[in-house]
Amino acid sequence: MKFNSKLIHAGWDSDENSEGSITVPIYRTTAYQFNNTEHAANLFGLKEFGNIYSRLGNPTVGALEARLTALEEGAMCVALSSGTSAVMYSLINIMSQGDNFVTANQLYGGTYTMFDNILPEYGINSKKVDITDLEAVEAAIDEKTRAIYCETITNPGLVVADISALADIAHSKGIPLIVDATFTTSAILKPFEYGADIVVYSLTKWMSGHGRVIAGAVIEKGGFDWGNGNFPLYDKPDTSYGGMRWGHDLGDLGNVAYSLGLRTVPLRNLGANMSPDTAFEVMSGLETLALRMERHCENAIKAAEYLTEHELVEWVRFPGLKDDPAYDLSEKYLKGTGGTMVVFGIKGGKDAGQKFIDNLKMFRHVANVGDTRSLAIHPATTNPGLVMVSQ
Ligand SMILES: *Cc1c(COP(=O)(O)O)cnc(C)c1O
């Protein structure tokens, strides 16, 4: 199946699973009947895959996970209740007290706060660098660094990450590259093709695309060696799981040790699972992802070009403009688009920015991106005059 067909068909066989229903049914159930005690033991022991309890997995959510795995051409996916929980689980899944990760000094606001204010309280520290400065990225890695973490396009600076180069640096140190691909989606960029090991999504945004749910996912490429000695959590016996050493004892499943660990440790015990209703909504949105992204990108470049010419506009940042600092990386990574976001400054500073926002007609003034509605926000407290537009 090609990408556009996978959006609609991958991960669910209506003949086998659903009395012929061609959409995935919503399984609103908490728990699942075991065939017998041996079946129950096998499921808990990861000797057999199947349904146990909807915090750990649900058939509707499972269909979405299979679809996302296929779209991303990865090995396994875990869906979660929000992009925020996906970001957090993607990191705590391989880190404990005293560990750190190297990341960008520009990030989605909630992620930045998590990295700056929450994780350090638990002894996990981020080392923030200019992610386009590859020497700084490499220099920041020490013996306690467990990952490089970046966003495909940062918010609100619209810096495009050089994923291949970052993956090379990470792999030379035996650690993974984790990429938040919310701003690009698999329709524009598949980070695994450029060497990333883990992809994180806020499915709230373009992936579901209609401004109706909060949802997230973590997807694993497969094949990274989590038992390479750089991940103490994967070397030591897990006392909460029968002494399992996640990096060593899984046999053939070692290929997806990270995903199995994520489902079994943070998801099972911290509980940010996705509801089946949310999974259904995300799958409805995903069906039109390719069409929507095409149109989002077409609209964004038109808006960027219009604003560049406008006499009241001071500056415009859009990776698809030839003189934009991110243009070369956008050419390499964004499939000939400049993405879907435009950031610009208005002459007259903060007051002018406020006036602009207060006089919007069809654009919605909200703290969100990636909706069918065009959105705008004015983060005046941090950046006077700056206006962000999501087409
Ligand atoms: C929105 C967003 C998040 C957080 O996702 P939620 O679904 O709102 O929890 C994380 N990363 C990026 C890039 C985002 O835009």
Side-chain angles (χ1 to χ4, degrees):
M1 256 189 264
K2 292 195 181 144
F3 186 80
N4 289 357
S5 303
K6 286 184 196 169
L7 287 169
I8 296 164
H9 301 288
W12 181 261
D13 185 340
S14 54
D15 296 334
E16 268 181 26
N17 297 317
S18 53
E19 317 249 350
S21 163
I22 60 167
T23 61
V24 181
I26 301 176
Y27 285 87
R28 277 193 180 140
T29 183
T30 306
Y32 308 84
Q33 172 82 19
F34 301 123
N35 300 337
N36 49 46
T37 49
E38 189 190 347
H39 180 221
N42 284 345
L43 290 176
F44 274 104
L46 296 178
K47 294 200 178 79
E48 203 178 314
F49 287 126
N51 300 306
I52 299 175
Y53 186 77
S54 278
R55 170 156 37 78
L56 311 178
N58 168 286
T60 313
V61 177
L64 171 63
E65 289 168 337
R67 191 157 297 172
L68 293 173
T69 304
L71 291 173
E72 214 62 45
E73 296 176 45
M76 202 172 255
C77 167
V78 179
L80 294 161
S81 61
S82 67
T84 303
S85 52
V87 173
M88 178 162 175
Y89 284 12
S90 77
L91 293 163
I92 65 168
N93 194 38
I94 49 172
M95 291 176 207
S96 51
Q97 214 172 48
D99 291 344
N100 69 64
F101 56 100
V102 173
T103 188
N105 54 13
Q106 284 193 34
L107 292 160
Y108 172 71
T111 301
Y112 198 94
T113 304
M114 183 197 303
F115 291 0
D116 232 32
N117 296 79
I118 315 286
L119 293 181
E121 296 289 344
Y122 297 87
I124 297 174
N125 288 299
S126 57
K127 294 181 158 191
K128 298 193 194 71
V129 296
D130 173 354
I131 204 75
T132 62
D133 182 347
L134 300 172
E135 280 169 23
V137 171
E138 183 155 8
I141 296 172
D142 63 31
E143 75 284 358
K144 291 279 196 178
T145 303
R146 307 295 174 216
I148 297 177
Y149 180 99
C150 72
E151 294 171 349
T152 52
I153 306 180
T154 64
N155 176 2
L158 305 189
V159 171
V160 178
D162 190 346
I163 296 170
S164 301
L166 292 168
D168 286 346
I169 295 170
H171 296 159
S172 75
K173 309 281 184 182
I175 58 175
L177 175 65
I178 304 177
V179 176
D180 178 336
T182 302
F183 271 50
T184 40
T185 81
S186 36
I188 292 189
L189 169 62
K190 295 196 191 71
F192 294 156
E193 284 177 5
Y194 297 95
D197 303 284
I198 305 294
V199 165
V200 171
Y201 277 116
S202 169
L203 303 172
T204 310
K205 314 293 170 50
W206 292 267
M207 291 287 269
S208 66
H210 293 70
R212 290 184 188 145
V213 289
I214 300 288
V218 179
I219 307 162
E220 177 176 19
K221 181 184 186 182
F224 187 91
D225 180 9
W226 302 101
N228 71 4
N230 286 328
F231 307 93
L233 278 182
Y234 282 64
D235 292 335
K236 71 174 187 195
D238 184 345
T239 50
S240 78
Y241 217 75
M244 169 87 80
R245 294 174 311 150
W246 292 99
H248 305 275
D249 298 338
L250 283 166
D252 290 346
L253 291 173
N255 185 43
V256 287
Y258 176 95
S259 303
L260 295 175
L262 197 148
R263 188 180 297 283
T264 313
V265 185
L267 178 57
R268 186 173 69 132
N269 303 298
L270 299 176
N273 62 290
M274 179 186 282
S275 82
D277 295 74
T278 296
F280 183 86
E281 190 67 44
V282 173
M283 282 187 279
S284 301
L286 267 182
E287 293 190 357
T288 55
L289 176 72
L291 290 169
R292 285 186 289 104
M293 288 308 281
E294 209 175 290
R295 190 60 63 87
H296 280 301
C297 293
E298 270 174 38
N299 290 348
I301 190 146
K302 280 185 200 149
E305 283 169 350
Y306 171 81
L307 290 166
T308 306
E309 299 297 316
H310 201 287
E311 58 178 17
L312 295 177
V313 171
E314 203 154 273
W315 53 268
V316 178
R317 283 293 321 271
F318 178 69
L321 295 174
K322 286 210 165 58
D323 55 358
D324 192 88
Y327 183 73
D328 290 343
L329 289 169
S330 117
E331 283 287 281
K332 173 164 180 189
Y333 291 109
L334 304 184
K335 256 196 189 165
T337 78
T340 70
M341 296 281 297
V342 183
V343 181
F344 64 103
I346 300 179
K347 286 178 188 157
K350 187 175 166 185
D351 292 346
Q354 260 171 326
K355 200 164 155 194
F356 172 86
I357 290 282
D358 288 339
N359 285 285
L360 289 171
K361 297 285 183 289
M362 199 160 62
F363 275 65
R364 297 299 177 155
H365 177 208
V366 293
N368 190 20
V369 290
D371 196 318
T372 44
R373 286 147 280 257
S374 292
L375 314 176
I377 197 165
H378 178 228
T381 43
T382 53
N383 222 333
L386 174 129
V387 177
M388 291 168 53
V389 181
S390 149
Q391 286 295 319

